C-alpha cells in the first residue's frame, strides 16, 4: 500500500504522525497518547489487561484499550443504580435541556467525531458524517417531544366521572446496551439517549473494535451535563462482558447479528426482562417499470455501498422490472465504476475500507462462492490491497441462484445481486423470501402505487425513492426489523416507551365494585348487565 502523503486534515485535533517508523514501521496514523488516556479513563476497567484497536486505514494499532472484568461490570451497575435513583427525580425539562446541549456539542465537535470514526472504522468521511448527524437529530427529537412521550396521561375510567385513571411512565432502572462496530458513534449513543431521557441509567459495552469513538460519545454526554455515574462504559469480549450485562440489567437493547440476538433473547427470557433486538438483514430494493432510472441508479449506489455495505439497512438484493432492467443496470454499473475509492481521512472518497480481515474474508468468500457456482461479476469482485489492507471493490453480481451463499445470507459488505422480474406480485414475493425483514426500498414515479406495494413487503421500514435515509433520519417513525431482523423498535414513541414501565393509577369515587346498601349479588349482577347494555347503546368504548 502506498501510504497517503498527507493523511491528516490540516490542524486536525487528534492525529500526529506519521508515527515513529523505528517502533512501528507500519503505522501511518497515530493518536495523541494523552487524548487516548483521557478517553479510556472513562472506562470501568481494572484488570490491567489491554486490547489493541487497529485502524483499518493502515492495519496498525491505534490505541490499547483497558479491559473490564465481570467484577467491573458489577461495579458499573452499582454506580449506575446509585446515579439513577437521583436522576429519576430530575425534572424532564432539565433532562431534555442536556440533550439539546449534546446536540450543539455534537455539531461543534463533528470534525473530532468524524476523524476518530474514520480512523477506527475505515469508512469514507462522508459516511462518518452521517453519525453525528443522526445523533443530533435523535437528541433534538427526543428533547423536543419529551413531554409527549413521558407525561402522565389520562385514560378512560370504567365509570365515567367516577373512575379517574392515569398512566405513569416509570423508568425501568438500568438499561444494558450492547452495540456493534459498523456505526460506532451512532450505535453507541442513539439507543441510550431516550433511555436517559426516560429516567434510566445505562451500562454499555461497545464493540471492541471501535471503543474510542464510543468513549468520545461518553465524554460528550459528560460535557453536556449528564451526571457522570449515569453512563457507564465497560470493555471486553461479547460473551465475557456482554453476558454479565444481560445478567444484571433491567432491560437490554442489543444491536448486532441475528445469531447473537437469539442468545441474548434467551438469556433475557430466563430473567423475565424485556429486550429490543436490532439485527441483520438481506434487504431488497425494487425498481418498478415507471421508475426514474437516473434517480434509481444514484440511489442504488448509496443503497448498496454506503459504509462499504456494512450497514444493517443497506441493499444486497435488487429486483428490477424487465422493461427497464438493461437501462437501469447500465446506469448503476457506470455510476459504481465512477466511484472514488480510498481509505483515508479525506472527504473525496465515495467508499472506504471494510473494518477488518474477518469482514474482508467473508465478503471475498461470498463473491468467490457465487462466481464458482456461475454468477457473473458486472463490476468489482476483488480486494484492493493497494488502497488499504481490508479494501474490497464495490461489486455487482448477476445470475445469483439459491445454492449460492450470498443469495439468502447477509454479506454485510459492498456486494449486491441483481434479479429481473416480470410482474410486481412476483417481485414482492421474492423480496419477502428468506428469514429477514429489516428494510426495503421501492423506486417508482407513482407514489400511491409504491405505498400500496409497501404494505405487502414484510420489512420494518420501507423507503420510497430513497434507500434508507428517509426512514432512518425520520426519528419520529419507529425503526426495526420483522421476522429474524429483530424485536422491538428504536426511534419514535416506541423507542422511548421500551425503557419505561406503564403504571396505571385509578382513583374511585362514590361507588364501589361490589353490591352496596344491602343489595343482593343477583340484583347487583342485573344492574351491571343493564349498565353494560346502556353503555354500548351510548357508543362508549
Ligand atoms: P455481533 O453480534 O457479533 O456483535 C455485536 C455486539 O454484541 C458486539 O458488541 C459484541 O461484542 C457483542 N456480543 C457478541 N457476542 C455476545 C454474547 N454472546 N453476549 C453478549 N454480547 C455479545 O455482530 P457484528 O457482526 O459485530 O455486527 C454486525 C451485525 O449487526 C450485522 O448482522 C448487522 O446487520 C447487524 N446490525 C444491525 C443493526 C440494526 O439496527 N438492525 C445495526 C447495525 C448492525
Amino acid at each position: 500500500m502506498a501510504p497517503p502523503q498527507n493523511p491528516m486534515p490540516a490542524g486536525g485535533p487528534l492525529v500526529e504522525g506519521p508515527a515513529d517508523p523505528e517502533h512501528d514501521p507500519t503505522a501511518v496514523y497515530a493518536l495523541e497518547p494523552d487524548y487516548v488516556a483521557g478517553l479510556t479513563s472513562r472506562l470501568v476497567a481494572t484488570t490491567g489487561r489491554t486490547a489493541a484497536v487497529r485502524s483499518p486505514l493502515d492495519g496498525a494499532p491505534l490505541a490499547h484499550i483497558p479491559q473490564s472484568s465481570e467484577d467491573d461490570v458489577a461495579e458499573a451497575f452499582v454506580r449506575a443504580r446509585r446515579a439513577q435513583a437521583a436522576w429519576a427525580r430530575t425534572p424532564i425539562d432539565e433532562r431534555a435541556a442536556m440533550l439539546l446541549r449534546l446536540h450543539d456539542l455534537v455539531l461543534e465537535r463533528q470534525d473530532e467525531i468524524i476523524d476518530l470514526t474514520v480512523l477506527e472504522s475505515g469508512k469514507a468521511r462522508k459516511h462518518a458524517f452521517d453519525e453525528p448527524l443522526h445523533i443530533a437529530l435523535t437528541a433534538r427529537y427526543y428533547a423536543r417531544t419529551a413531554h409527549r412521550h413521558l407525561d402522565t396521561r389520562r385514560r378512560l375510567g370504567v365509570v365515567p366521572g367516577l373512575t379517574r385513571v392515569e398512566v405513569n411512565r416509570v423508568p425501568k432502572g438500568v438499561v444494558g446496551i450492547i452495540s456493534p462496530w459498523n456505526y460506532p458513534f451512532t450505535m453507541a449513543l442513539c439507543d441510550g439517549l431516550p433511555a436517559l431521557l426516560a429516567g434510566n441509567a445505562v451500562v454499555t459495552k461497545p464493540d471492541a473494535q471501535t471503543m474510542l469513538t464510543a468513549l468520545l460519545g461518553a465524554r460528550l454526554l459528560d460535557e453536556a451535563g449528564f451526571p457522570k455515574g449515569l453512563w457507564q462504559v465497560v470493555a471486553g469480549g461479547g460473551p465475557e462482558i456482554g453476558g454479565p450485562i444481560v445478567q444484571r440489567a433491567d432491560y437490554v437493547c442489543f444491536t448486532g447479528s441475528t445469531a447473537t440476538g437469539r442468545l441474548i433473547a434467551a438469556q433475557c427470557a430466563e430473567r423475565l426482562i424485556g429486550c429490543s433486538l436490532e439485527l441483520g438483514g438481506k434487504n431488497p430494493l425494487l425498481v418498478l417499470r415507471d421508475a426514474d432510472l437516473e434517480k434509481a441508479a444514484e440511489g442504488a449506489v448509496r443503497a448498496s455501498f454506503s459504509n462499504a455495505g456494512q450497514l444493517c439497512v443497506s441493499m444486497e438484493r435488487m429486483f428490477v422490472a424487465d422493461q427497464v432492467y438493461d437501462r437501469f443496470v447500465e446506469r448503476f454499473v457506470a455510476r459504481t465504476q465512477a466511484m472514488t475509492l480510498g481509505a483515508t481521512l479525506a472527504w473525496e472518497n465515495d467508499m472506504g475500507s471494510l473494518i477488518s480481515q474477518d469482514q474482508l474474508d467473508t465478503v471475498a468468500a461470498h463473491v468467490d462462492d457465487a462466481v464458482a457456482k456461475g454468477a457473473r461479476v458486472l463490476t468489482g469482485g476483488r480486494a484492493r490491497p493497494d488502497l488499504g489492507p481490508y479494501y474490497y471493490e464495490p461489486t455487482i453480481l448477476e445470475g445469483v441462484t439459491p445454492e449460492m451463499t450470498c443469495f439468502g445470507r447477509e454479506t454485510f459488505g459492498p456486494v449486491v445481486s441483481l434479479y429481473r422480474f416480470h410482474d410486481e406480485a412476483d417481485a414482492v414475493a421474492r423480496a419477502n423470501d428468506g428469514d429477514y425483514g429489516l428494510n426495503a426500498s421501492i423506486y417508482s414515479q407513482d407514489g400511491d402505487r409504491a405505498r400500496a406495494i409497501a404494505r405487502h413487503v414484510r420489512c420494518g421500514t420501507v423507503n420510497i425513492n430513497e434507500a434508507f435515509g428517509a426512514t432512518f433520519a425520520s426519528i419520529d417513525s419507529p425503526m426495526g426489523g420483522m421476522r429474524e431482523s429483530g424485536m422491538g423498535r428504536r426511534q419514535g414513541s416506541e423507542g422511548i416507551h421500551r425503557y419505561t414501565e406503564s403504571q396505571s393509577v385509578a382513583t374511585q369515587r362514590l361507588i364501589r365494585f361490589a353490591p352496596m346498601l344491602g343489595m343482593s349479588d343477583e340484583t347487583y349482577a342485573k344492574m351491571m348487565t343493564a349498565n353494560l347494555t346502556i353503555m354500548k347503546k351510548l357508543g362508549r368504548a
Side-chain angles (χ1 to χ4, degrees), residues 171-411:
K172 294 254 181 186
V174 180
V175 173
I177 298 183
I178 300 175
S179 59
W181 45 264
N182 64 331
Y183 275 74
F185 190 71
T186 291
M187 290 296 145
L189 286 183
C190 74
D191 290 304
L193 301 185
L196 294 180
L197 184 70
N200 300 279
V202 167
V203 175
T204 176
K205 191 206 81 61
D207 191 275
Q209 295 170 93
T210 48
M211 285 300 301
L212 293 171
T213 315
L215 286 166
L216 176 56
R219 171 188 273 188
L220 293 176
L221 287 171
D222 298 344
E223 291 180 29
F226 289 95
K228 233 179 180 167
L230 216 53
W231 187 271
Q232 299 290 327
V233 191
V234 287
E240 299 82 1
I241 296 303
I245 289 179
V246 177
Q247 288 313 313
R248 288 168 176 80
D250 301 312
Y251 183 89
V252 174
C253 169
F254 170 79
T255 305
S257 64
T258 297
T260 310
R262 211 186 289 280
L263 286 176
I264 288 181
Q267 291 164 3
C268 290
E270 189 63 38
R271 293 194 55 227
L272 290 179
I273 60 165
C275 62
S276 53
L277 307 169
E278 309 289 346
L279 309 176
K282 188 78 190 172
N283 306 306
L285 180 148
L286 277 62
V287 181
L288 307 189
R289 63 177 178 276
D290 67 346
D292 177 326
L293 296 184
E294 283 303 338
K295 273 193 194 145
E298 185 274 332
V301 169
R302 279 183 295 110
S304 296
F305 305 131
S306 289
N307 200 26
Q310 302 165 117
L311 173 60
C312 56
V313 287
S314 75
M315 301 296 161
E316 297 195 358
R317 302 182 293 154
M318 287 185 190
F319 299 92
V320 185
D322 221 4
Q323 298 90 333
V324 296
Y325 184 90
D326 293 334
R327 283 181 286 144
F328 169 76
V329 172
E330 185 190 327
R331 286 166 172 76
F332 181 33
V333 170
R335 283 180 179 270
T336 302
Q337 288 172 340
M339 288 170 73
T340 307
L341 311 180
T344 70
L345 278 161
W347 276 105
E348 70 249 17
N349 301 320
D350 290 323
M351 194 185 96
S353 172
L354 297 170
I355 192 163
S356 64
Q357 187 64 45
D358 277 359
Q359 280 295 111
L360 177 62
D361 292 346
T362 304
V363 169
H366 279 210
V367 175
D368 293 349
D369 166 78
V371 171
K373 291 173 181 162
R376 290 175 300 285
V377 176
L378 299 189
T379 187
R382 61 189 180 128
R384 287 290 298 273
D386 56 316
L387 296 175
Y390 316 129
Y391 213 100
Y392 200 91
E393 285 190 345
T395 299
I396 304 175
L397 300 176
E398 224 181 19
V400 170
T401 52
E403 59 278 9
M404 300 175 191
T405 310
C406 71
F407 180 85
R409 289 256 293 274
E410 184 185 38
T411 304

